[in-house]
Amino acid sequence: MANEAPVLLLGYNRPQQMRGLIQSLTPLKPKLILLAVDGPNNNRPNDADLVRQTQDLVSEIAWNAEIRTRFRDKNLGLRRAVVDSVTWANSEYGRVIVLEDDVRAGPQLLEFLNHNLSKYKESSEIGHINGYNLVPEDHLTNPDRAARLSVYPESYAWATWERAWQKYDDDMTWAKNASLGDIKKICGSTAGAVRWKLNFSDASAERIDSWAYRWLASMWANNLKIVSSNRNISQYKGFEGGTHTRRQMKWSELEIEQLPTNEGKINNIAVDKLADRWLARNIFKSTTLGIIEGKIISIVLTIIKKVKAK
């Protein structure tokens, strides 16, 4: 595959997850691997050993690849570790494919991400490429096409460019100041605007350590769209002990499928609203019940934060 982007693998203290990711990449044999592993948390028993085991998995990248590592001595935490790693990769190479350790790559994942990184590298309207899809075919406007536009980035298997990542705002300036009307213009509903305002509040108050909400808000602030695959081309295993996983998956993950051969021409303005409405309702809980759930989550997170502070 010509002009491949570096593949950044993000890990911490789950060697079994990182091993699964590396095994899924073995048939694909990416030419440049960047392995980033956060440092141990001294407050967690055996953390240093688990981090070392994760770092040692660099030896299991058995194909002919250039390998660079970013191993930290101290624990940055999820948000800062991801942002630091993606910033490092983009500053070195100008573009990057990002895979969390709980991702399992399908046979077309890297091909799809690399193709669209090249296709849209000069498109100022596009900021992110999704390599993970949850939307069923009957909720896609053009299910016969390989890709669509969305306002919702996925955070497990994805890609971006330095030109877009430079707009990442950790302070969430736009999110803090955006009105419900501002958010509704993007997500399409009042319920969605309220729920996202709750999400942004939880993130800015650091009730959750989320880089993903900050990245989404940064793209919304700059009117950036997302290219998303119209089939699922990777799997997510994060509900098997993820850092912030407290509940079971509430959706059925789609099987990995072959992408349609019809690439089609994506309109750089129009978003697949049918698909995004499905995501809003079923994944991001942009409903009245979702608002109630969001408020309850905020209260619980506030209590947890106070307890930890004691």
Side-chain angles (χ1 to χ4, degrees), residues 38-267:
D38 199 7
N41 185 330
N42 295 330
N43 295 320
R44 292 184 174 181
N46 303 319
D47 211 44
D49 185 54
L50 290 171
V51 168
R52 180 188 57 75
Q53 291 179 42
T54 304
Q55 295 172 343
D56 288 347
L57 289 172
V58 68
S59 65
E60 297 192 13
I61 302 173
W63 62 92
N64 184 22
E66 179 185 349
I67 302 170
R68 296 183 63 186
T69 60
R70 194 169 182 83
F71 296 162
R72 301 179 186 85
D73 296 326
K74 297 181 180 179
N75 185 263
L76 293 182
L78 176 66
R79 180 178 106 231
R80 291 174 179 83
V82 171
V83 172
D84 173 78
S85 299
V86 176
T87 301
W88 165 60
N90 271 314
S91 66
E92 292 281 331
Y93 299 100
R95 68 203 189 287
V96 65
I97 291 170
V98 185
L99 305 179
E100 293 192 353
D101 62 357
D102 38 28
V103 166
R104 302 296 176 265
Q108 291 182 293
L109 176 65
L110 299 187
E111 179 184 2
F112 177 82
L113 294 175
N114 273 303
H115 172 73
N116 285 288
L117 279 171
S118 295
K119 182 176 181 178
Y120 295 103
K121 64 181 179 180
E122 305 296 339
S123 298
S124 60
E125 304 93 341
I126 306 297
H128 178 112
I129 305 164
N130 287 339
Y132 181 71
N133 173 60
L134 289 162
V135 182
E137 287 184 48
D138 56 351
H139 290 277
L140 298 171
T141 300
N142 295 295
D144 61 325
R145 294 183 181 176
R148 66 182 189 274
L149 282 188
S150 176
V151 299
Y152 296 117
E154 296 290 350
S155 59
Y156 312 132
W158 56 286
T160 192
W161 305 264
E162 183 179 24
R163 62 161 175 79
W165 187 250
Q166 286 176 341
K167 301 181 188 301
Y168 176 86
D169 178 16
D170 201 72
D171 292 331
M172 302 186 74
T173 306
W174 178 86
K176 289 175 183 176
N177 295 295
S179 67
L180 292 178
D182 294 332
I183 301 174
K184 182 180 178 180
K185 288 177 183 177
I186 299 170
C187 71
S189 73
T190 300
V194 174
R195 182 61 198 260
W196 278 108
K197 196 68 174 174
L198 288 170
N199 293 339
F200 294 153
S201 177
D202 286 337
S204 63
E206 300 196 2
R207 291 188 284 268
I208 54 173
D209 193 27
S210 174
W211 68 270
Y213 284 168
R214 286 171 164 79
W215 178 221
L216 177 144
S218 300
M219 284 192 285
W220 285 9
N222 290 279
N223 298 311
L224 293 176
K225 303 296 189 300
I226 293 90
V227 174
S228 184
S229 60
N230 266 347
R231 298 292 186 275
N232 195 28
I233 52 177
S234 65
Q235 290 180 321
Y236 173 62
K237 301 294 184 181
F239 281 84
E240 301 171 6
T243 304
H244 291 289
T245 301
R246 295 190 175 93
R247 297 174 295 169
Q248 292 298 309
M249 185 184 291
K250 288 189 175 182
W251 63 83
S252 296
E253 184 174 70
L254 300 174
E255 294 293 325
I256 291 179
E257 292 185 274
Q258 188 80 9
L259 286 167
T261 56
N262 177 15
E263 185 175 349
K265 183 178 180 180
I266 292 180
N267 185 317

